[in-house]
Amino acid sequence: MHCIALLFSVVTLLTTTLTTPALADPILNEVCYDGVGADADEVFTEIFGDAGTSLTGWSLRGINGLNGSTYRTISLTGMTIPADGVLVLATSSATGSVLGARDYTASVDWQNGPDAVQLLNASGTIVDALQYGDAGVYNAGEGAYAADVLAGYSLSRDLLGTDTNVNADDFTAFSTPTPGVGPTPAVPEPATLFLMGAGAVGLVVRRRRARRML
């Protein structure tokens, strides 16, 4: 009975650890900046991070690709990353799936590219940035720039939330934006978890037997 209880505890611990990875900092996850027709009802910006993280003092900044100047700053003070780890910002004119996913209202109708969106922490340090389209010397993202997408498209990380600090590699154009759908880290199959747990229990049992033999 003790071994079964220990096995259950180990599997539970492994499941929790593997499905809730800790992030060093929140990151930009998906950005839709150009809607079809009037932008405001479709645009949104996602921030992915650990649930419960306070963004007080943090901000988003829009960078103009024509001259590198800041054309808009959005304060994130008072905002907290929700339980699913995906914070969705959308405008007051949001409709449909964007409205349904919206956590906070903000002026995230960013300029069309080439431009950039930057995420800054409470110290004013840029912790993540997305450059879409080539602004030349005024590129303000991470590494090679991502595509400047067509109206109705979004730029999104993959389902693992891959962050290599190279926009061109990390962000892909999505013809169907997915507001509120964040990264889903890979989880081992139940059988794999059982074997991992059983192995851990076996190790504990062997150690106990070795001590008795001594």
Side-chain angles (χ1 to χ4, degrees):
M1 291 294 292
H2 291 296
C3 287
I4 293 175
L6 180 58
L7 175 59
F8 179 79
S9 297
V10 170
V11 171
T12 300
L13 177 60
L14 287 170
T15 302
T16 302
T17 301
L18 290 169
T19 56
T20 56
L23 294 174
D25 280 309
I27 56 175
L28 296 168
N29 184 64
E30 184 174 2
V31 176
C32 179
Y33 57 85
D34 186 11
V36 177
D39 290 349
D41 58 336
E42 296 183 351
V43 296
F44 65 91
T45 297
E46 284 182 357
I47 298 173
F48 175 59
D50 293 329
T53 299
S54 171
L55 296 179
T56 290
W58 288 56
S59 62
L60 287 171
R61 188 163 66 185
I63 304 298
N64 194 328
L66 292 177
N67 53 22
S69 65
T70 298
Y71 70 86
R72 183 179 305 155
T73 298
I74 298 174
S75 172
L76 303 181
T77 292
M79 300 183 187
T80 301
I81 294 179
D84 62 3
V86 184
L87 183 148
V88 180
L89 296 169
T91 74
S92 59
S93 301
T95 60
S97 61
V98 176
L99 175 60
R102 186 181 66 191
D103 295 303
Y104 296 97
T105 301
S107 181
V108 290
D109 184 5
W110 307 110
Q111 293 182 169
N112 296 345
D115 274 337
V117 176
Q118 298 176 335
L119 175 64
L120 291 76
N121 65 18
S123 299
T125 301
I126 299 171
V127 297
D128 198 21
L130 168 61
Q131 173 71 41
Y132 48 95
D134 185 8
V137 296
Y138 296 118
N139 283 338
E142 295 183 340
Y145 57 88
D148 186 7
V149 297
L150 299 173
Y153 282 63
S154 69
L155 287 169
S156 180
R157 296 184 190 275
D158 61 23
L159 290 179
L160 297 179
T162 300
D163 183 16
T164 66
N165 296 322
V166 178
N167 292 161
D169 295 336
D170 295 340
F171 288 89
T172 300
F174 275 39
S175 60
T176 303
T178 56
V181 180
T184 305
V187 180
E189 294 295 328
T192 302
L193 286 173
F194 180 83
L195 291 173
M196 292 170 67
V201 171
L203 180 60
V204 171
V205 171
R206 286 196 295 273
R207 285 180 176 174
R208 287 180 176 175
R209 288 177 177 173
R211 287 178 181 175
R212 289 177 181 176
M213 291 177 65
L214 293 173

